[in-house]
Structures are given as C-alpha cells and as structure tokens.
Amino acid sequence: MNAKHNIILVGFMGTGKTCVGKALAKTLGMDFLDMDEVIVAREGRPITDIFATDGEAYFRELERGLVRELSAQSGHVIATGGGIVLNPDNITDFERTGLVVCLRATPEAILERVRHDASRPLLHGGDKLRKIRDILETRQPLYDAIRNQVDTSPLTLSQVVDRITALYKETA
Ligand code: S3P
C-alpha cells in the first residue's frame, strides 16, 4: 500500500463516516466518495425505497458490486454504509486497496446523530436506541475485527482527522 491508495471508513450508522471522510479528503487533497450516495444516484431512488421495493439483499448486492469497482481505483476517501462489514469479502477487498479505519461511537452519540434522519430503513419505527443497541450487538465482532479503530466520542472532528492522517502516513 502507498499514499496513492484509498482510505476506507467503516463503522455503524451515525459514527461520522461521511463528515470525517469529507474533512479528511480535504486535508489530504484526495477525492471523497460516499457509497450510499453513489448507490442512490445510480438507482435514482432513496435507500428507503430500495429496501422497501427490492429488499436488503438487493441493496447488499449493489454494495458488493461497488466495493469491487472501487477496490480497483485509488486516491479516494470512501465512506461506506454501516452494513459493509456484513460481507467479509468487502473488507478483504478494501484491505487490499488501502487503509481501512473503523469509526466508533456510543449508542447514545449515534442516536443523537440519527434521531431526526429518516433515511436509514433499519432504524425505522419503534425505539431507535434499542434498535441501535440490537444491531450493534450482532455487528460488534465484525467492527472489532478491523485493525484500525478510532473512537470518535471523545474527539473533535479535527482530532479524528489528525489521527487517521497519522495512520495513513504510517502505512504509506
Ligand atoms: C446501513 C447503513 C446506511 C445505509 C443503509 C444500511 C446499515 O449507511 O447503507 O441504510 O446496514 O448499517 P450509513 O452507515 O451511512 O448510515
């Protein structure tokens, strides 16, 4: 791996992947790319519609295809969707193509960030904090398996960016 390759941000919904990714890309002079945005643009419909009409499995296929495509490119900071870890091949491909960093946050901090946002079908209806905790519980081992972890809860945006920049330079 070298500095021309990608930085891939993974982590649960609301851990700040998009926000951190944009700031990081600006700092490092790289291109920012949000996988959810690419999928929405290509499908011409929001993620809630994709889930409602074609189901989660179809969305995961779209994600998988995009990971393969992006793994063949370089120079991007990539914000993934929170479920990217569900298929281990996605992480294997991304590890080959760049620095993979998992962002973490407490369930309460996640709730604060997602509570007024209806764009995430997996959190629709009912008790959002419970849903966050339940999904996190099943996914936690998958997030834990990522070598590079940054807990965003106690850090400012620029501290998170500094930390990832340092990791990137170490691996360059
Ligand atoms: C999902 C996270 C979402 C989006 C979709 C499914 C998940 O992305 O890909 O709603 O399974 O965790 P964000 O992590 O950007 O919210």
Side-chain angles (χ1 to χ4, degrees):
M1 199 198 317
N2 67 42
K4 295 229 165 21
H5 286 184
N6 303 310
I7 299 178
I8 301 101
L9 302 178
V10 308
F12 197 75
M13 295 172 259
T15 49
K17 295 168 301 228
T18 302
C19 190
V20 170
K22 282 183 180 162
L24 193 58
K26 202 166 167 197
T27 302
L28 293 172
M30 292 166 77
D31 292 328
F32 174 72
L33 205 144
D34 185 301
M35 287 188 60
D36 285 345
E37 270 177 25
V38 174
I39 289 172
V40 165
R42 287 184 182 174
E43 287 285 302
R45 52 188 175 146
I47 289 177
T48 43
D49 280 16
I50 301 174
F51 270 65
T53 310
D54 294 295
E56 182 175 347
Y58 175 73
F59 177 77
R60 300 299 172 204
E61 278 172 30
L62 296 176
E63 272 189 322
R64 178 72 196 123
L66 188 53
V67 169
R68 293 166 77 110
E69 200 180 312
L70 295 176
S71 299
Q73 300 174 14
S74 56
H76 291 114
V77 175
I78 301 167
T80 62
I84 209 78
V85 291
L86 294 172
N87 184 341
D89 292 344
N90 289 336
I91 302 304
T92 305
D93 285 349
F94 274 147
E95 291 275 7
R96 229 181 274 129
T97 196
L99 175 73
V100 180
V101 180
C102 182
L103 301 185
R104 307 177 79 102
T106 61
E108 292 75 15
I110 289 169
L111 178 67
E112 270 316 300
R113 292 180 188 152
V114 303
R115 71 186 324 157
H116 300 301
D117 186 346
S119 69
R120 296 175 172 96
L122 295 180
L123 300 179
H124 279 178
D127 181 344
K128 269 201 171 60
L129 187 58
R130 168 142 294 268
K131 287 197 168 151
I132 291 167
R133 288 213 169 100
D134 287 349
I135 304 172
L136 254 180
E137 198 178 305
T138 44
R139 289 192 189 166
Q140 200 60 62
L142 303 172
Y143 293 128
D144 287 348
I146 310 285
R147 191 181 313 127
N148 303 294
Q149 303 275 335
V150 176
D151 183 356
T152 64
S153 300
L155 303 176
T156 64
L157 176 60
S158 72
Q159 285 171 326
V160 175
V161 168
D162 285 353
R163 217 162 272 190
I164 299 172
T165 302
L167 281 171
Y168 186 56
K169 294 197 168 148
E170 275 169 31
T171 56

PDB file of all heavy atoms in Angstrom, residues 12 16 31 43 45 55-56 68 71 89 100 105 113 117 125 127 146 148 150 164 166:
ATOM      1  N   PHE A  12     -20.543   1.806  12.296  1.00  0.00           N
ATOM      2  CA  PHE A  12     -22.004   1.808  12.395  1.00  0.00           C
ATOM      3  C   PHE A  12     -22.569   3.130  11.864  1.00  0.00           C
ATOM      4  O   PHE A  12     -21.854   4.129  11.765  1.00  0.00           O
ATOM      5  CB  PHE A  12     -22.394   1.621  13.870  1.00  0.00           C
ATOM      6  CG  PHE A  12     -23.816   1.200  14.067  1.00  0.00           C
ATOM      7  CD1 PHE A  12     -24.202  -0.103  13.799  1.00  0.00           C
ATOM      8  CD2 PHE A  12     -24.775   2.099  14.513  1.00  0.00           C
ATOM      9  CE1 PHE A  12     -25.521  -0.506  13.978  1.00  0.00           C
ATOM     10  CE2 PHE A  12     -26.096   1.713  14.697  1.00  0.00           C
ATOM     11  CZ  PHE A  12     -26.469   0.406  14.420  1.00  0.00           C
ATOM     12  N   GLY A  16     -20.082   8.994  11.969  1.00  0.00           N
ATOM     13  CA  GLY A  16     -19.415  10.166  11.407  1.00  0.00           C
ATOM     14  C   GLY A  16     -18.588   9.897  10.154  1.00  0.00           C
ATOM     15  O   GLY A  16     -17.752  10.715   9.778  1.00  0.00           O
ATOM     16  N   ASP A  31      -9.988  12.608  -3.308  1.00  0.00           N
ATOM     17  CA  ASP A  31     -11.405  12.710  -3.684  1.00  0.00           C
ATOM     18  C   ASP A  31     -12.255  11.994  -2.647  1.00  0.00           C
ATOM     19  O   ASP A  31     -11.904  10.900  -2.211  1.00  0.00           O
ATOM     20  CB  ASP A  31     -11.651  12.022  -5.035  1.00  0.00           C
ATOM     21  CG  ASP A  31     -10.976  12.767  -6.161  1.00  0.00           C
ATOM     22  OD1 ASP A  31     -10.868  14.006  -6.060  1.00  0.00           O
ATOM     23  OD2 ASP A  31     -10.534  12.111  -7.116  1.00  0.00           O
ATOM     24  N   GLU A  43     -29.243   4.332  -8.758  1.00  0.00           N
ATOM     25  CA  GLU A  43     -30.576   3.705  -8.737  1.00  0.00           C
ATOM     26  C   GLU A  43     -31.689   4.727  -8.992  1.00  0.00           C
ATOM     27  O   GLU A  43     -32.813   4.361  -9.316  1.00  0.00           O
ATOM     28  CB  GLU A  43     -30.820   3.045  -7.378  1.00  0.00           C
ATOM     29  CG  GLU A  43     -30.038   1.770  -7.157  1.00  0.00           C
ATOM     30  CD  GLU A  43     -30.610   0.588  -7.933  1.00  0.00           C
ATOM     31  OE1 GLU A  43     -31.788   0.260  -7.729  1.00  0.00           O
ATOM     32  OE2 GLU A  43     -29.869   0.018  -8.750  1.00  0.00           O
ATOM     33  N   ARG A  45     -33.187   6.490  -6.762  1.00  0.00           N
ATOM     34  CA  ARG A  45     -34.202   6.417  -5.696  1.00  0.00           C
ATOM     35  C   ARG A  45     -33.487   6.292  -4.354  1.00  0.00           C
ATOM     36  O   ARG A  45     -32.359   5.787  -4.280  1.00  0.00           O
ATOM     37  CB  ARG A  45     -35.145   5.230  -5.907  1.00  0.00           C
ATOM     38  CG  ARG A  45     -34.408   3.909  -6.098  1.00  0.00           C
ATOM     39  CD  ARG A  45     -35.333   2.783  -6.501  1.00  0.00           C
ATOM     40  NE  ARG A  45     -34.517   1.601  -6.785  1.00  0.00           N
ATOM     41  CZ  ARG A  45     -34.891   0.360  -6.541  1.00  0.00           C
ATOM     42  NH1 ARG A  45     -36.083   0.124  -6.032  1.00  0.00           N
ATOM     43  NH2 ARG A  45     -34.097  -0.647  -6.811  1.00  0.00           N
ATOM     44  N   GLY A  55     -35.698  -5.045  -1.277  1.00  0.00           N
ATOM     45  CA  GLY A  55     -35.176  -5.767  -0.116  1.00  0.00           C
ATOM     46  C   GLY A  55     -33.717  -5.474   0.188  1.00  0.00           C
ATOM     47  O   GLY A  55     -32.975  -4.964  -0.654  1.00  0.00           O
ATOM     48  N   GLU A  56     -33.353  -5.820   1.419  1.00  0.00           N
ATOM     49  CA  GLU A  56     -31.979  -5.560   1.872  1.00  0.00           C
ATOM     50  C   GLU A  56     -30.952  -6.360   1.057  1.00  0.00           C
ATOM     51  O   GLU A  56     -29.873  -5.854   0.748  1.00  0.00           O
ATOM     52  CB  GLU A  56     -31.853  -5.901   3.364  1.00  0.00           C
ATOM     53  CG  GLU A  56     -30.461  -5.612   3.893  1.00  0.00           C
ATOM     54  CD  GLU A  56     -30.311  -5.817   5.397  1.00  0.00           C
ATOM     55  OE1 GLU A  56     -31.336  -5.950   6.107  1.00  0.00           O
ATOM     56  OE2 GLU A  56     -29.155  -5.856   5.853  1.00  0.00           O
ATOM     57  N   ARG A  68     -16.244  -3.822  -5.283  1.00  0.00           N
ATOM     58  CA  ARG A  68     -15.325  -4.409  -6.282  1.00  0.00           C
ATOM     59  C   ARG A  68     -14.820  -3.328  -7.232  1.00  0.00           C
ATOM     60  O   ARG A  68     -13.645  -3.296  -7.589  1.00  0.00           O
ATOM     61  CB  ARG A  68     -16.038  -5.513  -7.062  1.00  0.00           C
ATOM     62  CG  ARG A  68     -16.366  -6.710  -6.180  1.00  0.00           C
ATOM     63  CD  ARG A  68     -17.341  -7.615  -6.873  1.00  0.00           C
ATOM     64  NE  ARG A  68     -16.661  -8.404  -7.879  1.00  0.00           N
ATOM     65  CZ  ARG A  68     -16.454  -9.719  -7.778  1.00  0.00           C
ATOM     66  NH1 ARG A  68     -16.888 -10.369  -6.735  1.00  0.00           N
ATOM     67  NH2 ARG A  68     -15.846 -10.363  -8.712  1.00  0.00           N
ATOM     68  N   SER A  71     -12.429  -0.899  -5.378  1.00  0.00           N
ATOM     69  CA  SER A  71     -11.170  -1.549  -4.995  1.00  0.00           C
ATOM     70  C   SER A  71     -10.166  -1.541  -6.141  1.00  0.00           C
ATOM     71  O   SER A  71      -8.978  -1.777  -5.933  1.00  0.00           O
ATOM     72  CB  SER A  71     -11.414  -2.991  -4.552  1.00  0.00           C
ATOM     73  OG  SER A  71     -12.266  -3.002  -3.449  1.00  0.00           O
ATOM     74  N   ASP A  89     -15.936 -10.366   2.390  1.00  0.00           N
ATOM     75  CA  ASP A  89     -15.206 -10.104   1.142  1.00  0.00           C
ATOM     76  C   ASP A  89     -15.019  -8.602   0.912  1.00  0.00           C
ATOM     77  O   ASP A  89     -14.032  -8.174   0.302  1.00  0.00           O
ATOM     78  CB  ASP A  89     -15.957 -10.691  -0.068  1.00  0.00           C
ATOM     79  CG  ASP A  89     -15.956 -12.209  -0.056  1.00  0.00           C
ATOM     80  OD1 ASP A  89     -15.144 -12.793   0.695  1.00  0.00           O
ATOM     81  OD2 ASP A  89     -16.770 -12.806  -0.773  1.00  0.00           O
ATOM     82  N   VAL A 100      -8.039   0.770   5.931  1.00  0.00           N
ATOM     83  CA  VAL A 100      -9.418   0.643   6.419  1.00  0.00           C
ATOM     84  C   VAL A 100      -9.448   1.082   7.880  1.00  0.00           C
ATOM     85  O   VAL A 100      -8.676   0.577   8.702  1.00  0.00           O
ATOM     86  CB  VAL A 100      -9.925  -0.816   6.295  1.00  0.00           C
ATOM     87  CG1 VAL A 100     -11.361  -0.925   6.806  1.00  0.00           C
ATOM     88  CG2 VAL A 100      -9.841  -1.298   4.849  1.00  0.00           C
ATOM     89  N   ALA A 105     -18.570   4.927  18.077  1.00  0.00           N
ATOM     90  CA  ALA A 105     -19.244   5.933  18.905  1.00  0.00           C
ATOM     91  C   ALA A 105     -20.188   5.177  19.824  1.00  0.00           C
ATOM     92  O   ALA A 105     -20.561   4.042  19.529  1.00  0.00           O
ATOM     93  CB  ALA A 105     -20.017   6.924  18.030  1.00  0.00           C
ATOM     94  N   ARG A 113     -27.133  11.587  16.543  1.00  0.00           N
ATOM     95  CA  ARG A 113     -26.848  11.929  15.139  1.00  0.00           C
ATOM     96  C   ARG A 113     -27.922  11.446  14.172  1.00  0.00           C
ATOM     97  O   ARG A 113     -28.075  12.014  13.096  1.00  0.00           O
ATOM     98  CB  ARG A 113     -25.503  11.349  14.721  1.00  0.00           C
ATOM     99  CG  ARG A 113     -24.344  12.024  15.434  1.00  0.00           C
ATOM    100  CD  ARG A 113     -23.040  11.416  14.982  1.00  0.00           C
ATOM    101  NE  ARG A 113     -21.929  11.909  15.765  1.00  0.00           N
ATOM    102  CZ  ARG A 113     -20.816  11.230  15.989  1.00  0.00           C
ATOM    103  NH1 ARG A 113     -20.668  10.029  15.468  1.00  0.00           N
ATOM    104  NH2 ARG A 113     -19.855  11.737  16.698  1.00  0.00           N
ATOM    105  N   ASP A 117     -33.289  11.754  11.358  1.00  0.00           N
ATOM    106  CA  ASP A 117     -32.999  11.398   9.972  1.00  0.00           C
ATOM    107  C   ASP A 117     -33.752  10.120   9.597  1.00  0.00           C
ATOM    108  O   ASP A 117     -33.550   9.072  10.209  1.00  0.00           O
ATOM    109  CB  ASP A 117     -31.476  11.187   9.855  1.00  0.00           C
ATOM    110  CG  ASP A 117     -31.036  10.943   8.422  1.00  0.00           C
ATOM    111  OD1 ASP A 117     -31.912  10.667   7.575  1.00  0.00           O
ATOM    112  OD2 ASP A 117     -29.829  11.010   8.168  1.00  0.00           O
ATOM    113  N   GLY A 125     -39.116   3.318  12.835  1.00  0.00           N
ATOM    114  CA  GLY A 125     -40.160   2.880  13.775  1.00  0.00           C
ATOM    115  C   GLY A 125     -39.638   2.438  15.125  1.00  0.00           C
ATOM    116  O   GLY A 125     -38.482   2.065  15.260  1.00  0.00           O
ATOM    117  N   ASP A 127     -38.454   2.025  19.098  1.00  0.00           N
ATOM    118  CA  ASP A 127     -37.431   2.586  19.965  1.00  0.00           C
ATOM    119  C   ASP A 127     -36.073   2.546  19.248  1.00  0.00           C
ATOM    120  O   ASP A 127     -35.449   1.502  19.121  1.00  0.00           O
ATOM    121  CB  ASP A 127     -37.402   1.749  21.257  1.00  0.00           C
ATOM    122  CG  ASP A 127     -36.382   2.248  22.260  1.00  0.00           C
ATOM    123  OD1 ASP A 127     -35.491   3.036  21.880  1.00  0.00           O
ATOM    124  OD2 ASP A 127     -36.478   1.838  23.426  1.00  0.00           O
ATOM    125  N   ILE A 146     -11.721  -5.084  12.610  1.00  0.00           N
ATOM    126  CA  ILE A 146     -10.930  -4.136  11.799  1.00  0.00           C
ATOM    127  C   ILE A 146      -9.711  -3.695  12.618  1.00  0.00           C
ATOM    128  O   ILE A 146      -9.844  -3.326  13.786  1.00  0.00           O
ATOM    129  CB  ILE A 146     -11.774  -2.884  11.427  1.00  0.00           C
ATOM    130  CG1 ILE A 146     -13.126  -3.274  10.831  1.00  0.00           C
ATOM    131  CG2 ILE A 146     -10.991  -1.924  10.547  1.00  0.00           C
ATOM    132  CD1 ILE A 146     -13.128  -3.783   9.450  1.00  0.00           C
ATOM    133  N   ASN A 148      -7.638  -1.063  12.491  1.00  0.00           N
ATOM    134  CA  ASN A 148      -7.518   0.339  12.908  1.00  0.00           C
ATOM    135  C   ASN A 148      -8.853   0.869  13.430  1.00  0.00           C
ATOM    136  O   ASN A 148      -9.843   0.883  12.695  1.00  0.00           O
ATOM    137  CB  ASN A 148      -7.078   1.204  11.723  1.00  0.00           C
ATOM    138  CG  ASN A 148      -5.773   0.715  11.148  1.00  0.00           C
ATOM    139  OD1 ASN A 148      -4.740   0.782  11.804  1.00  0.00           O
ATOM    140  ND2 ASN A 148      -5.818   0.184   9.937  1.00  0.00           N
ATOM    141  N   VAL A 150     -10.899   4.048  15.570  1.00  0.00           N
ATOM    142  CA  VAL A 150     -10.861   5.394  16.136  1.00  0.00           C
ATOM    143  C   VAL A 150     -12.197   5.665  16.822  1.00  0.00           C
ATOM    144  O   VAL A 150     -13.253   5.636  16.180  1.00  0.00           O
ATOM    145  CB  VAL A 150     -10.598   6.472  15.048  1.00  0.00           C
ATOM    146  CG1 VAL A 150     -10.674   7.867  15.659  1.00  0.00           C
ATOM    147  CG2 VAL A 150      -9.227   6.261  14.402  1.00  0.00           C
ATOM    148  N   ILE A 164      -6.429   9.839  11.833  1.00  0.00           N
ATOM    149  CA  ILE A 164      -6.458   8.996  10.625  1.00  0.00           C
ATOM    150  C   ILE A 164      -5.326   9.388   9.673  1.00  0.00           C
ATOM    151  O   ILE A 164      -4.695   8.541   9.045  1.00  0.00           O
ATOM    152  CB  ILE A 164      -7.841   9.075   9.937  1.00  0.00           C
ATOM    153  CG1 ILE A 164      -8.915   8.575  10.902  1.00  0.00           C
ATOM    154  CG2 ILE A 164      -7.845   8.255   8.648  1.00  0.00           C
ATOM    155  CD1 ILE A 164     -10.343   8.762  10.432  1.00  0.00           C
ATOM    156  N   ALA A 166      -2.448  10.455  10.570  1.00  0.00           N
ATOM    157  CA  ALA A 166      -1.222   9.850  11.123  1.00  0.00           C
ATOM    158  C   ALA A 166      -1.155   8.362  10.756  1.00  0.00           C
ATOM    159  O   ALA A 166      -0.098   7.870  10.341  1.00  0.00           O
ATOM    160  CB  ALA A 166      -1.186  10.034  12.637  1.00  0.00           C
TER     161      ALA A 166
END
